[in-house]
Each structure stands twice: as C-alpha cells, then as structure tokens.
Amino acid sequence: CGYCGTDIERPVGNLSGYLKSEEYLTCEDHKFSSSDTVKYYRSALLCLKREEYSKAFYAFLDAAWTCDDENDTENAAMCRRKALAVYDSYREEDEWKPDTELIVIDLLRRTEQFLPAIRKAREYKTMDSFKQRILDYQITLSQNKDSGCHNADI
C-alpha cells in the first residue's frame, strides 16, 4: 500500500531463542489474515525485546494498517491499542519522532477513546496551521464519535 515503512529484514541479534517461542510464533495468540500483518507484529515484538520502543510503536502501527487493508477492524484496533500501550509505557525512555503525539491522538480516536483524544488534541501546541487543522479535525471527529479512517485532505 506504500504506507508501511518498517524494515522487517533487520537483523535480530541474539534473540534466536525468542524466534522459536510460542509467543513470537503465534503473535501472542492473535490470528491475522495477512502475512504482512504477521511480519509487522513479529517485528514489533522483536523491537520490544531489543528495547527499541519507538520502532515497536511504528511496527504495531504498520500491523494496524495492514489489518485495515484486510478490513480486519478488530485486529486493527488491537494493534493500535498495542502501539498506544508502548507509547504510554516508554515515552520517556526512547527517542520519538517530532509529531508522534499527532499519531497518538489519531490512535486514541481510532480506538474509540474519544475524550482522551479530544484532551490531547486541545493540549497539543503548534504554530503550524496545517497541524492545527488536523487537530481541529480530530476534535470534530472525536466529538462525533467517529473512529473511521480519514485522510489529511482538509
């Protein structure tokens, strides 16, 4: 689809034992219809083991997007919740891309956490008019309890 950017060919280091674990092989007992989702989910698990939290966040996000491509809304929401959990647990312990908080707001809305999405969108400070339009749009969507997929053509 052109949206997934995690390098799933990255070396795994000394985690070869984990690669044989039930947790890794079964994607923590989750069933996915797409082999791409399995690859990104496993990549996220490996990133967590390597304490690469920002990379794990984005790998879970990539897994969610591949679930979206398969219309697998339940697993897409679960992958988004996993990404949010990584961010919430490790935001102080890793380097994050500058606009990760904008993605977090979208993840909150997409997982039907509308009030936290509204609160974070209102707290986010930016002088960039495009980003402000995105934030305002996220607030409107959240107020309307809209957890659907939308683009940035606003």
Side-chain angles (χ1 to χ4, degrees):
C1 67
Y3 290 104
C4 297
T6 301
D7 180 3
I8 58 177
E9 300 292 325
R10 219 170 34 244
V12 295
N14 62 358
L15 295 172
S16 59
Y18 182 68
L19 295 177
K20 298 174 186 162
S21 73
E22 197 69 18
E23 175 181 296
Y24 177 80
L25 292 173
T26 66
C27 294
E28 301 177 312
D29 292 323
H30 298 291
K31 306 288 186 237
F32 300 114
S33 58
S34 165
S35 62
D36 287 337
T37 304
V38 170
K39 290 174 187 174
Y40 287 116
Y41 196 92
R42 285 178 177 168
S43 177
L45 294 176
L46 289 173
C47 288
L48 288 174
K49 290 292 182 188
R50 291 189 298 240
E51 299 180 356
E52 296 173 338
Y53 304 116
S54 176
K55 289 178 182 177
F57 171 88
Y58 284 100
F60 280 127
L61 185 56
D62 289 340
W65 288 339
T66 59
C67 288
D68 288 340
D69 291 345
E70 297 291 320
N71 294 315
D72 184 355
T73 55
E74 186 177 316
N75 278 323
M78 179 274 301
C79 290
R80 285 182 172 90
R81 286 190 299 274
K82 295 284 280 188
L84 284 167
V86 169
Y87 182 75
D88 287 342
S89 296
Y90 301 107
R91 73 175 144 224
E92 304 297 328
E93 297 181 35
D94 204 350
E95 291 185 32
W96 298 88
K97 295 179 182 177
D99 293 325
T100 301
E101 199 71 17
L102 287 174
I103 295 169
V104 167
I105 293 165
D106 186 63
L107 292 174
L108 289 167
R109 183 187 60 79
R110 294 293 310 272
T111 57
E112 299 183 354
Q113 298 178 62
F114 301 116
L115 292 177
I118 292 168
R119 185 176 59 251
K120 276 196 176 294
R122 287 184 175 151
E123 291 171 355
Y124 191 97
K125 302 295 180 219
T126 183
M127 298 298 286
D128 183 307
S129 62
F130 180 69
K131 288 179 187 176
Q132 189 58 55
R133 287 195 315 271
I134 290 173
L135 292 165
D136 293 341
Y137 190 48
Q138 290 285 5
I139 291 169
T140 299
L141 292 171
S142 294
Q143 288 170 333
N144 293 330
K145 300 196 180 332
D146 182 339
S147 63
C149 180
H150 297 275
N151 61 34
D153 293 336
I154 52 176

